Amino acid sequence: MELNEVIKKRRSIRSYKQIEIDRKIILNIVECIKYAPSSMNGQPWKVLIIENKKIKEQIANIKNKYIYENKRSFNADFIKNAPYILILCVDKSKCYNREVENCSIATTYILLKTSELGFGSVFICAYREDKPELQKELQFLLNLPENILPMNIIPVGIPDEVPKEKELKDLNELLI
């Protein structure tokens, strides 16, 4: 598939079929972040691949605890049913104070690769600047060392929904 097709096809998927996905495919998805740009080429990424149902439930519960009031209708309960959850983390010592930027770029690569392969995913933040407890609770749950910070949560599975087409701004609206 051409890159433009992948970009246009990608949608946020929050419902997954209960069908196993070969772990080799998940590793192929994760491998794409090796090619993502990072501050001073620090390549700070670490990825946890979560399959355990109990851990997925605990992640959803923690995320729901810190959800923004205006996003309550987009709670994280659906991630319990994703075959896999990728927790994209960064090694703080290799980020050069660019944790958010480094992880956002790598997450975008994962989202696009997932879409290219015909799977569904969605971008979920594992931190809130105003609520550092969210990240700390996830760090504790996942038994991560102090320098490894969970930044994003990416459920991956076979889509069990077809999201409606997005309303997109005209190109002229994007230009200043």
Side-chain angles (χ1 to χ4, degrees):
M1 193 180 317
E2 293 292 321
L3 180 59
N4 270 345
E5 282 181 71
V6 174
I7 291 169
K8 290 176 182 178
K9 179 182 118 174
R10 198 220 62 82
R11 293 287 181 274
S12 293
I13 301 295
R14 294 178 177 86
S15 181
Y16 307 96
K17 294 181 180 177
Q18 296 306 299
I19 299 172
E20 293 279 327
I21 300 172
D22 188 331
R23 189 174 171 92
K24 289 179 188 172
I25 293 170
I26 300 302
L27 293 174
N28 178 260
I29 290 169
V30 171
E31 186 174 30
C32 77
I33 67 173
K34 293 188 324 186
Y35 304 97
S38 60
S39 181
M40 296 180 64
N41 197 31
Q43 301 176 50
W45 312 288
K46 300 287 184 187
V47 180
L48 280 170
I49 301 171
I50 308 292
E51 299 175 71
N52 181 287
K53 182 96 171 143
K54 184 178 177 187
I55 300 293
K56 289 189 266 187
E57 288 175 6
Q58 290 173 309
I59 292 168
N61 291 339
I62 291 170
K63 181 63 182 158
N64 285 338
K65 183 175 169 183
Y66 294 100
I67 198 164
Y68 287 101
E69 190 62 39
N70 63 341
K71 289 188 169 188
R72 293 263 177 232
S73 63
F74 290 102
N75 69 48
D77 288 344
F78 70 93
I79 70 174
K80 300 173 189 177
N81 297 317
Y84 291 95
I85 296 176
L86 305 178
I87 307 293
L88 193 55
C89 305
V90 291
D91 181 338
K92 193 168 171 66
S93 69
K94 296 178 181 180
C95 274
Y96 305 99
N97 295 316
R98 296 284 185 248
E99 293 84 3
V100 173
E101 296 88 339
N102 286 328
C103 245
S104 294
I105 294 168
T107 297
T108 299
Y109 273 49
I110 287 174
L111 295 173
L112 291 174
K113 185 66 176 178
T114 300
S115 184
E116 176 196 37
L117 296 175
F119 297 104
S121 60
V122 64
F123 183 114
I124 304 170
C125 287
Y127 69 93
R128 277 184 59 180
E129 199 171 342
D130 63 328
K131 298 279 186 188
E133 309 86 51
L134 166 61
Q135 194 173 52
K136 287 291 182 196
E137 281 192 47
L138 289 169
Q139 193 175 31
F140 180 79
L141 170 68
L142 302 169
N143 198 27
L144 298 171
E146 189 67 28
N147 65 311
I148 304 297
L149 304 176
M151 298 298 292
N152 296 321
I153 302 164
I154 310 164
V156 177
I158 297 171
D160 196 21
E161 66 177 325
V162 178
K164 64 180 182 178
E165 289 293 318
K166 292 199 270 185
E167 288 185 32
L168 302 173
K169 293 180 179 181
D170 183 76
L171 176 59
N172 289 326
E173 292 179 68
L174 305 178
L175 303 173
I176 297 177

